Amino acid sequence: MNNESIQTIVEEVMSRLSAGTEKVNSVPLAVSARHCHVSQADLEALFGKGYTLTKKADLSQPGQFAANETITIAGPRGSLEKVRILGPARHMTQVEVSRTDSIKLGVKPPLRESGDIIGSAPITLVGPKGSLYKKEGLIIAQTHIHMTPEDAKGFGVENGEYVEIKVGGERPVTFGKVLVRVSSRYKLEMHVDTDEANASLLTGKQAGELVKIEGIS
């Protein structure tokens, strides 16, 4: 076997090893634009009694979909129109915006994990059949990763743990304190908001490298 053949074999083996490592540590990214989750009661207040959401498109997370329905959200300084509702209806209403959105609205929503709305910012929702003032429910979503228990085992992480995600590209960036959320209902995917995506020139088609960190809670 000549030196050229040996070099070719070595390069192939290294390529396969590299690909295997990338597969283990790689997390696909998705950009999550402003959106709203609504309770059935609030949906009916906005769209009429007995109203149900209609599906526009399935989302990457199993069972979740972007609805055809949109609303306007309003704050003391301004409003945002055509904010997409995501379905199905939930037990509580929650609106997720970026920091830039919150400035336009004139409000100061806290950075929170989805579902943690106690003491969050107030917001007014406007639909075709009515409007609602919610004393709480507006948040900026904590950067997070959805993953299955099998994914978590592979990464060596647990639900509620924080990790770092390193992303290459034109503007390489490391996202710190990324929350791990584990459920058998999830599909592996990291969600960033539009501010984070724009600042790092992400298109939502990249993947990042998961890095475990210690001492963050």
Side-chain angles (χ1 to χ4, degrees), residues 120-142:
S120 58
I123 192 70
T124 297
L125 314 180
V126 183
K129 297 293 185 179
S131 62
L132 289 169
Y133 173 76
K134 306 295 292 186
K135 293 182 179 179
E136 58 189 16
L138 182 69
I139 66 169
I140 298 173
Q142 172 76 45

Side-chain angles (χ1 to χ4, degrees), residues 75-216:
R77 185 180 297 169
S79 62
L80 297 169
E81 299 180 346
K82 296 183 179 180
V83 177
R84 184 75 54 190
I85 297 177
L86 303 187
R90 296 191 175 184
H91 69 283
M92 64 180 180
T93 294
Q94 173 181 290
V95 182
E96 298 177 35
V97 296
S98 69
R99 174 60 176 158
T100 299
D101 290 335
S102 72
I103 293 172
K104 182 175 182 179
L105 292 169
V107 292
K108 295 182 178 180
L111 182 67
R112 294 282 184 85
E113 178 182 357
S114 179
D116 181 11
I117 65 169
I118 302 299
S120 58
I123 192 70
T124 297
L125 314 180
V126 183
K129 297 293 185 179
S131 62
L132 289 169
Y133 173 76
K134 306 295 292 186
K135 293 182 179 179
E136 58 189 16
L138 182 69
I139 66 169
I140 298 173
Q142 172 76 45
T143 310
H144 59 279
I145 303 171
H146 294 282
M147 63 174 68
T148 65
E150 292 75 21
D151 293 324
K153 183 178 180 180
F155 285 117
V157 297
E158 298 179 351
N159 184 58
E161 185 175 340
Y162 289 100
V163 298
E164 290 183 348
I165 297 292
K166 295 184 177 181
V167 184
E170 292 184 80
R171 182 178 287 172
V173 63
T174 297
F175 291 96
K177 201 173 182 181
V178 179
L179 178 66
V180 173
R181 302 183 65 188
V182 180
S183 172
S184 58
R185 303 189 309 273
Y186 293 157
K187 177 182 177 181
L188 181 63
E189 191 172 64
M190 173 179 166
H191 289 175
V192 299
D193 69 23
T194 51
D195 281 354
E196 293 169 314
N198 290 338
S200 50
L201 302 182
L202 297 179
T203 64
K205 297 180 180 180
Q206 290 96 328
E209 177 190 357
L210 185 148
V211 179
K212 285 179 62 66
I213 52 179
E214 304 295 338
I216 293 184

Side-chain angles (χ1 to χ4, degrees), residues 22-88:
E22 182 179 356
K23 182 177 181 181
V24 170
N25 294 325
S26 181
V27 177
L29 308 181
V31 181
S32 181
R34 69 178 78 105
H35 61 271
C36 181
H37 303 281
V38 295
S39 67
Q40 183 59 36
D42 286 352
L43 178 65
E44 294 187 26
L46 296 169
F47 287 86
K49 186 173 178 59
Y51 195 89
T52 57
L53 293 172
T54 59
K55 184 186 295 185
K56 177 180 176 66
D58 287 317
L59 298 178
S60 58
Q61 294 305 309
Q64 304 297 302
F65 63 89
N68 288 300
E69 291 74 20
T70 63
I71 59 173
T72 294
I73 57 174
R77 185 180 297 169
S79 62
L80 297 169
E81 299 180 346
K82 296 183 179 180
V83 177
R84 184 75 54 190
I85 297 177
L86 303 187

